[in-house]
Amino acid sequence: MAKMWAGRFQKEESKEVNDFNSSISFDGVMFEADITGSMAHASMLGKMGIIKESDSKLIIDTLADILSDIKEGKLELDMEAEDIHMFIEAELTKRIGEVGKRLHTARSRNDQVALDIRLYLMDKVDEILKLIKEFSKTIIDLAEANKETIMPGYTHLQRAQPITFANHLLAYAYMLKRDYERFIEAKERMNYSPLGSCALAGTTYNIDREMVANTLGFNGIVMNSLDGVSDRDFTVELASAASISMMHLSRFSEEIIMWCSWEFKFIELDDAYSTGSSIMPQKKNPDICELIRGKTGRVYGDLITLLTMLKGIPLAYNKDMQEDKEAIFDALDTLKDCLKIFNPMLKTITVLKDNMYKAAQKGFINATDLADYLVKKGMAFRDAYKISGSLVSYCINNNIVLEEVSLDTFREYSKLFSDDVYDEIKLEKCTFKRTSMGASAISSVEAQIDDLKKWWK
Ligand code: ARG
């Protein structure tokens, strides 16, 4: 196909160069953003008298036809085209000849692509925001159903203190809330129109950049023409937000993988969301979680791709920047896919409350509470800590738990012990008396759920 720039050249470019240069195989997905941007541009050109109003109208109507033809599958993208922008413009010119050639007045592909990618990504972000909210709703529903489900809380993967499953889950709901806010903030910062920057230096035509920005729903315009066509910091921010979100999903996945193992058996995945082994008949594998954990690395890779691609290029546009698309599309699509599958998987888990409870009964998870008991009777915490530690050691030697120590033995360690100690170190008491803000007590968990529900509104 003869290139738009053929005038300057004596030879046609080779097929290899065309294929190497072409981006339509991955920027074709931006066809709607490209057409929407062109319509706004054409409308401005007409209103400002840069092209005839009648030409502007014909361009806009034809672009609308092209859009619906692509959507309905009547028009296929030509993979020989250099990119989506060239394809649409060529199609427009094919349909309306001379008039079509007027669209690219006071515009360059440099500001065009900078506009398209912003429009396209902002829609993608909206999809992600919706998915994050839906997923957090599932987490909160599960927490609501498990306000009384006691489990061991861990540090260093050692049983530490008793918590409720609800409180554990809500930690992830709060992480997702921050992920959500990060995407909102990134979107806010990228919501400015670069169109009218033209190639890099602006234009001598009497354009109205604000008009285009308003038509397209932007908050305003990118004020510097070189900045408008040169920076892709918004892709870096989005990839960073996606990486952080994937990191959260990956940690959650890792916990689910552990909880499914026979060593824990805290939950069971629904058959529909697990896989079997080709050789070991007993296996039920948490493949989805492992894939989410694995795909996290690939999203981090996308972030590094973008940062590295940008770090050494001089202003203004350089073709390196075409590499932004595959990386940022992949990062956001991967996050989207992971959120989409995680949600129904979590919705359908079976919580094995008895196993959680039994695990909490072991591991001297109430040793802190035993120390706190002595503190409440007047002892300094450091001394109480020592006595509680000695009693744990006594229990290990005698293969019993703290609840089974006789009162006489307790009193050998401290005369402050009396009969009420047994009630104080009961698992239920240790869990539900933690009424501080953010803790596992039912009131504390309910306060968190209320707080999270406010975020939805
Ligand atoms: N396909 C190009 C990209 O994605 C469009 C911009 C091309 N501009 C240029 N001066 N070659 O970056």
Side-chain angles (χ1 to χ4, degrees):
M1 183 161 94
K3 290 287 173 201
M4 295 279 178
W5 61 70
R8 160 79 174 78
F9 288 78
Q10 261 85 57
K11 278 195 213 162
E12 266 200 18
E13 71 182 356
S14 73
K15 162 115 178 74
E16 287 81 358
V17 170
N18 185 62
D19 291 350
F20 190 68
N21 212 23
S22 171
S23 55
I24 193 160
S25 62
F26 51 85
D27 66 21
V29 292
M30 303 195 306
F31 67 88
E32 186 158 11
D34 191 75
I35 291 175
T36 312
S38 288
M39 285 170 149
H41 180 65
S43 159
M44 183 276 291
L45 291 178
K47 289 210 175 94
M48 297 306 290
I50 299 168
I51 63 174
K52 280 194 267 175
E53 279 275 18
S54 55
D55 286 352
S56 163
K57 191 174 176 320
L58 181 59
I59 290 172
I60 293 170
D61 291 346
T62 313
L63 285 171
D65 291 343
I66 294 175
L67 178 60
S68 59
D69 286 353
I70 296 176
K71 280 188 172 171
E72 286 163 25
K74 287 189 207 150
L75 175 62
E76 255 181 57
L77 305 187
D78 174 10
M79 287 301 136
E80 294 295 302
E82 190 184 337
D83 54 31
I84 188 64
H85 326 292
M86 290 303 211
F87 171 77
I88 304 279
E89 195 184 327
E91 181 64 26
L92 180 72
T93 307
K94 200 161 99 190
R95 294 190 184 194
I96 55 174
E98 269 316 294
V99 178
K101 295 186 195 165
R102 297 188 190 279
L103 168 64
H104 209 55
T105 315
R107 184 177 75 168
S108 152
R109 258 189 310 158
N110 298 348
D111 58 344
Q112 188 178 355
V113 69
L115 174 81
D116 291 3
I117 190 167
R118 282 170 195 253
L119 288 173
Y120 180 78
L121 290 177
M122 287 197 296
D123 281 348
K124 271 261 141 76
V125 169
D126 287 341
E127 290 173 36
I128 286 174
L129 290 172
K130 194 164 159 272
L131 289 169
I132 292 179
K133 267 204 176 170
E134 281 167 12
F135 186 40
S136 73
K137 173 145 193 345
T138 299
I139 296 178
I140 292 166
D141 287 346
L142 196 58
E144 256 174 336
N146 284 282
K147 285 192 275 197
E148 293 178 37
T149 308
I150 295 176
M151 71 180 281
Y154 297 82
T155 63
H156 312 274
L157 201 54
Q158 304 282 320
R159 286 173 196 156
Q161 289 174 339
I163 55 171
T164 58
F165 190 42
N167 207 22
H168 194 112
L169 288 167
L170 290 176
Y172 285 110
Y174 275 103
M175 292 176 207
L176 284 168
K177 177 172 179 271
R178 288 193 298 278
D179 293 343
Y180 185 90
E181 289 161 356
R182 258 185 286 275
F183 275 111
I184 293 265
E185 286 155 19
K187 190 180 161 192
E188 198 56 26
R189 250 188 303 281
M190 71 188 282
N191 197 1
Y192 292 86
S193 168
L195 206 73
S197 299
C198 302
L200 77 162
T203 179
T204 53
Y205 292 100
N206 178 31
I207 57 171
D208 187 340
R209 294 189 58 198
E210 302 276 1
M211 187 194 292
V212 178
N214 282 339
T215 311
L216 293 171
F218 283 103
N219 285 341
I221 60 166
V222 178
M223 282 301 287
N224 180 284
S225 62
L226 281 87
D227 180 35
V229 288
S230 300
D231 208 1
R232 295 289 186 271
D233 55 356
F234 54 89
T235 64
V236 176
E237 275 200 81
L238 293 181
S240 160
S243 294
I244 295 172
S245 197
M246 284 299 297
M247 176 268 291
H248 290 146
L249 298 188
S250 182
R251 288 183 80 171
F252 200 175
S253 295
E254 167 62 15
E255 295 210 292
I256 292 175
I257 292 165
M258 285 195 309
W259 293 340
C260 286
S261 72
W262 282 105
E263 282 68 19
F264 281 80
K265 265 291 165 244
F266 286 180
I267 63 165
E268 174 109 26
L269 292 178
D270 192 86
D271 283 359
Y273 291 96
S274 6
T275 46
S277 154
S278 60
I279 169 171
M280 297 165 282
Q282 83 282 14
K283 292 294 281 293
K284 187 168 167 187
N285 295 330
D287 281 25
I288 290 176
C289 294
E290 291 164 31
L291 272 173
I292 293 172
R293 196 175 56 184
K295 284 176 191 292
T296 303
R298 133 181 199 172
V299 175
Y300 292 0
D302 292 327
L303 171 62
I304 297 299
T305 297
L306 290 163
L307 283 167
T308 313
M309 179 273 285
L310 287 167
K311 85 178 180 62
I313 50 180
L315 303 186
Y317 179 84
N318 299 266
K319 192 78 175 208
D320 314 44
M321 291 160 79
Q322 181 165 285
E323 290 289 310
D324 61 355
K325 286 164 214 69
E326 283 162 296
I328 188 60
F329 294 173
D330 181 70
L332 297 186
D333 286 340
T334 304
L335 174 60
K336 235 177 75 179
D337 290 348
C338 291
L339 286 164
K340 264 192 193 160
I341 192 96
F342 209 142
N343 191 7
M345 179 186 67
L346 189 70
K347 235 182 228 172
T348 52
I349 63 165
T350 307
V351 181
L352 303 173
K353 299 184 183 184
D354 285 350
N355 291 351
M356 288 186 177
Y357 188 82
K358 275 183 210 136
Q361 282 176 316
K362 289 178 232 145
F364 305 101
I365 211 159
N366 47 4
T368 316
D369 298 272
L370 187 69
D372 286 342
Y373 169 88
L374 291 172
V375 170
K376 280 172 199 157
K377 300 253 165 167
M379 192 180 280
F381 182 76
R382 276 291 157 236
D383 295 330
Y385 171 94
K386 240 186 229 157
I387 290 176
S388 179
S390 309
L391 276 158
V392 167
S393 166
Y394 168 84
C395 288
I396 291 170
N397 291 335
N398 291 280
N399 201 19
I400 55 171
V401 294
L402 288 169
E403 292 90 321
E404 291 166 334
V405 174
S406 70
L407 187 57
D408 285 345
T409 308
F410 269 132
R411 289 179 65 83
E412 275 171 34
Y413 285 80
S414 166
K415 290 288 172 241
L416 291 176
F417 281 117
S418 61
D419 226 10
D420 56 356
V421 65
Y422 295 103
D423 189 45
E424 256 337 88
I425 59 174
K426 258 201 197 130
L427 207 46
E428 284 74 9
K429 184 105 189 229
C430 299
T431 312
F432 296 117
K433 79 179 178 199
R434 288 193 152 78
T435 52
S436 57
M437 290 270 251
S440 272
I442 293 181
S443 60
S444 310
V445 162
E446 280 169 353
Q448 295 177 54
I449 293 175
D450 286 348
D451 181 46
L452 285 163
K453 284 185 175 167
K454 262 185 242 146
W455 155 45
W456 288 343
K457 283 184 195 139

